[in-house]
Amino acid sequence: MTDTYDLAVIGAGSAGFSAAITAAGQGATVALVGHGTIGGTCINVGCVPSKTMIRAAEAMHAARAAGRFPGLHGEASLTDWSALVGAKDDLVEMLRQTKYADLLADYPSVDYREGRARLGNDGLVLEGGDHLSAGRVVIATGSRPAMPHVPGLEGVPVLDSTAALALEEQPQSLIVMGGGYVGCELAQMFARLGAEVALVTRSRLLPETEPEVSEALTRYLRDEGIAVHDGLTYDRAERTPDGVALRLRTEAGEDRRLDAQHLLSATGRVPNSDGMGLEAAGVALGPLRGIQVDDRLRTTRPGTYAAGDVTGRDAFVYMAAYGAKLAALNALNGDAHRYTSEAMPWVVFTDPQVAGVGLTEAAARARGLDVRTSTVPLDHVPRALAARDTRGMVKLVAERGTDRLLGAQIIAPDGADAIQTMVMALKARMTVAELGETIFPYLTTVEAWKLAAQSFDRDVAKLSCCAG
């Protein structure tokens, strides 16, 4: 059986749907091929389930933290783990249905096919032998959790992020391997929901952030009772009568052992690039198995494009959807659209939240740029003072001479929303002076950006409210 389409899309997650919807809007006929649960990682096992659980944990913590205001006292407790997890599952199911499955009826030129697919001579070959003939192909198969190479790990029960969010019973203790955004988010979430948590990482928390931000987050997590162990080597994992043990070695050569009910691996993700016959079809893969693409999302096989996590870069759902849109447009209209991530925001949903855009100080210097920086702690920001929560800071990086802004990072309770201000500033190629002269509303977190811009050349502690 052979069907003919203008475009075939492999993967029915955020990127795949973005490519299919974009192509349909161009008047193209589309074969959208999904394998597994429709909707992909974000809606089913990633962003949505984790963030609703994180918000639940924040609600508990906020009630207990009410005492920071004189005269207030708050308490909150987790009374029904099954109800909490069930509500998370209900939300996932609702969004999967309304934002993915139900949408297919609105795009009659998109033909959804379920099953594994591999590249054929002029399209795709599905399980069972059906052949889809297509003028162009977009690969958007995403990624999956990776497991680190730790002796003994294959012999112990290990949770990945998907399994951790599906636990049917409330965990009592947890070792989290990995200090990236997934490890930090889940470690804090489970700790706030009552588990004893140890967070272990080979380097430092959020190693690609500014060192000041990493150090601050480490301090805040430890203040909440999370045992953060950084700069360690994983020696061995072992099964114990009560769960698991992880043997570690410090940089000084000291041996440590951690015991817990569960071991959670949050050490990164691997592209879903296997099983499609990519290399045999002429699609080159990078050293970490991500599909190699150029700035037009073209692979090394003519007529074949790739976008999202399967490329091994910019692993955020919004970047996957953005890239897949461009890939579809290029596939159908002649490669006119260039993929760029120069003003790509990223967010870590810890509390306080960590967010950034553009270059870090180290990355800018590595490119040979002469830079200057400004860091302002939140105790200079009236919003934080009024909230009686001054955890955090902002940092700006600018090119010396031109004073053009190159990067920004924030750690603050409202950091996720505040970063978009700097996305727009970098996109507009603003200078330090222009940012410092911009009018910001008083008693907002984003006012920190104005103060940071002003602090390049003056002491903002000597300014009155809204001055300058």
Side-chain angles (χ1 to χ4, degrees):
M1 178 179 175
T2 300
D3 295 311
T4 302
Y5 302 89
D6 297 315
L7 181 73
V9 180
I10 311 177
S14 299
F17 263 75
S18 176
I21 290 172
T22 299
Q26 297 289 302
T29 56
V30 184
L32 175 61
V33 182
H35 174 66
T37 306
I38 195 170
T41 296
C42 177
I43 203 80
N44 290 301
V45 296
C47 314
V48 170
S50 67
K51 300 314 174 280
T52 191
M53 294 287 283
I54 287 169
R55 280 298 196 183
E58 285 179 3
M60 284 186 58
H61 181 78
R64 297 166 181 165
R68 72 178 185 265
F69 292 93
L72 296 187
H73 175 75
E75 291 291 343
S77 61
L78 176 56
T79 59
D80 191 336
W81 176 265
S82 295
L84 180 63
V85 172
K88 176 260 296 181
D89 292 340
D90 289 344
L91 175 65
V92 168
E93 184 177 349
M94 182 271 290
L95 288 173
R96 181 197 306 130
Q97 191 67 34
T98 59
K99 302 305 292 183
Y100 288 91
D102 289 350
L103 288 183
L104 292 170
D106 295 325
Y107 297 95
S109 64
V110 176
D111 183 11
Y112 180 71
R113 307 289 287 268
E114 175 68 30
R116 293 184 181 275
R118 59 182 175 84
L119 293 183
N121 291 332
D122 63 345
L124 306 181
V125 178
L126 303 186
E127 284 178 314
D130 286 355
H131 183 266
L132 308 182
S133 178
R136 297 288 186 271
V137 175
V138 173
I139 303 170
T141 47
S143 64
R144 62 186 183 275
M147 282 292 166
H149 298 291
V150 178
L153 195 64
E154 69 283 353
V156 302
V158 184
L159 302 172
D160 58 20
S161 57
T162 300
L165 291 168
L167 284 171
E168 295 182 356
E169 295 183 0
Q170 181 179 359
Q172 300 304 306
S173 59
L174 196 70
I175 300 169
V176 179
M177 291 191 299
Y181 71 93
V182 175
C184 290
E185 288 179 359
L186 295 186
Q188 186 179 45
M189 182 201 82
F190 280 113
R192 288 182 167 185
L193 292 176
E196 180 181 345
V197 176
L199 177 56
V200 183
T201 180
R202 289 188 173 104
S203 54
R204 59 179 173 89
L205 299 188
L206 307 182
E208 296 182 1
T209 64
E210 297 284 7
E212 303 96 319
V213 170
S214 174
E215 292 168 8
L217 180 63
T218 301
R219 184 167 65 252
Y220 302 143
L221 294 185
R222 284 174 173 161
D223 288 345
E224 291 191 24
I226 299 171
V228 179
H229 303 271
D230 49 14
L232 298 172
T233 300
Y234 305 138
D235 268 3
R236 186 169 186 81
E238 302 171 350
R239 184 190 292 267
T240 69
D242 298 319
V244 294
L246 184 63
R247 296 185 181 274
L248 309 163
R249 184 177 297 272
T250 69
E251 292 177 336
E254 300 174 349
D255 292 327
R256 292 183 186 174
R257 171 176 165 153
L258 300 176
D259 287 82
Q261 179 187 12
H262 295 289
L263 178 63
L264 166 59
S265 174
T267 54
R269 299 183 67 85
V270 59
N272 290 325
S273 59
D274 51 327
M276 292 180 285
L278 298 183
E279 291 171 298
V283 176
L285 304 180
L288 300 179
R289 305 296 292 175
I291 296 178
Q292 293 183 10
V293 293
D294 63 13
D295 65 352
R296 313 292 160 151
L297 286 310
R298 295 172 294 203
T299 72
T300 52
R301 181 182 193 249
T304 302
Y305 299 73
D309 287 14
V310 75
T311 66
R313 66 182 193 185
D314 300 340
F316 301 100
V317 63
Y318 42 91
M319 296 303 290
Y322 157 72
K325 175 182 178 179
L326 298 188
L329 290 173
N330 284 342
L332 297 170
N333 300 312
D335 301 328
H337 299 274
R338 176 177 170 268
Y339 177 94
T340 176
S341 57
E342 294 175 356
M344 176 191 75
W346 52 264
V347 176
V348 183
F349 287 93
T350 50
D351 176 27
Q353 297 162 354
V354 181
V357 63
L359 299 176
T360 62
E361 178 181 356
R365 295 190 188 281
R367 294 189 182 189
L369 297 173
D370 186 14
V371 301
R372 60 184 191 138
T373 66
S374 167
T375 303
V376 170
L378 285 198
D379 58 12
H380 282 60
V381 181
R383 163 78 174 196
L385 295 171
R388 297 185 181 271
D389 186 357
T390 57
R391 294 172 302 155
M393 68 183 71
V394 298
K395 181 174 180 178
L396 294 177
V397 179
E399 185 178 26
R400 194 181 300 274
T402 67
D403 249 9
R404 182 170 67 89
L405 292 162
L406 300 174
Q409 288 193 15
I410 182 171
I411 177 168
D414 302 318
D417 294 319
I419 195 60
Q420 193 63 22
T421 297
M422 293 310 302
V423 172
M424 303 306 292
L426 264 64
K427 193 172 180 66
R429 302 180 67 83
M430 290 180 69
T431 65
V432 167
E434 288 170 336
L435 182 62
E437 293 166 359
T438 300
I439 297 174
F440 284 81
Y442 186 53
L443 283 180
T444 60
T445 300
V446 293
E447 189 183 14
W449 300 124
K450 179 184 181 77
L451 294 173
Q454 291 175 330
S455 72
F456 273 98
D457 300 305
R458 63 199 305 186
D459 184 354
V460 295
K462 297 180 180 179
L463 295 177
S464 63
C465 295
C466 304

